[in-house]
Amino acid sequence: MSSEALESQKNFSFFPDLLISAAIIILWLIPVLVISLRGDGGGSAPWGVFSNIALMVTIIAPVAYGWHTKDTTGAVLIGVLPFLLTTTIPRIFFGTSVQDTNYIIRSALYIVTLCSIGGLEGYFAAKRENRAFVIAIVLAGLWAIVFLSGIN
């Protein structure tokens, strides 16, 4: 292939990355809209399925995005922002504030821990090395364990 053809293929790779980002955002927005409209977090029926999809996307997206794009900054943001936004914004808008300082500290540590693990997950996946990919997968498993430990 000529160098011009190779260059045009490199420039074209922007659109699949953009489509991946758009799909991830849409899969996160559906449960956020459901929570906003219904005022609760799913339950059974189709809304619960969307919440489960969003949870799986939250775990898998940083690894998939980082591995596919090699974009460390984007992968870290995809690992941090969705969970941060979906856990803090509904609490702010719906006024579910708690006056107990102990609860606030535990909640903040829980959210910061999950966001940190998600960011590291994306960072290691973006390195595109086998060892770093294994670390990213282990971090994804750790994210799931920490998430489940926070359910009361």
Side-chain angles (χ1 to χ4, degrees):
M1 282 184 118
S2 69
S3 62
E4 293 174 10
L6 289 173
E7 188 63 32
S8 68
Q9 286 180 348
K10 288 180 185 176
N11 291 337
F12 184 71
S13 69
F14 171 75
F15 292 109
D17 298 346
L18 185 64
L19 291 175
I20 290 171
S21 301
I24 290 169
I25 290 168
I26 288 170
L27 287 172
W28 276 315
L29 284 178
I30 292 170
V32 170
L33 290 173
V34 169
I35 290 170
S36 299
L37 295 174
R38 290 189 60 204
D40 60 11
S44 60
W47 303 122
V49 172
F50 286 127
S51 296
N52 292 335
I53 290 171
L55 179 62
M56 294 307 297
V57 169
T58 303
I59 296 170
I60 296 169
V63 173
Y65 182 84
W67 184 262
H68 180 72
T69 64
K70 299 181 191 176
D71 176 21
T72 54
T73 305
V76 169
L77 288 175
I78 284 182
V80 171
L81 289 180
F83 187 75
L84 179 67
L85 295 176
T86 56
T87 55
T88 56
I89 289 178
R91 290 180 187 190
I92 292 169
F93 283 127
F94 295 122
T96 57
S97 62
V98 177
Q99 302 301 326
D100 182 20
T101 307
N102 189 27
Y103 175 78
I104 293 170
I105 292 171
R106 285 186 297 133
S107 295
L109 285 173
Y110 178 71
I111 292 169
V112 167
T113 301
L114 286 172
C115 289
S116 300
I117 293 171
L120 287 171
E121 186 182 330
Y123 174 78
F124 282 110
K127 289 185 172 265
R128 297 274 321 242
E129 299 170 358
N130 289 338
R131 189 176 197 182
F133 185 71
V134 170
I135 292 171
I137 297 298
V138 168
L139 286 169
L142 180 63
W143 193 99
I145 291 169
V146 171
F147 177 81
L148 292 174
S149 72
I151 296 175
N152 291 332

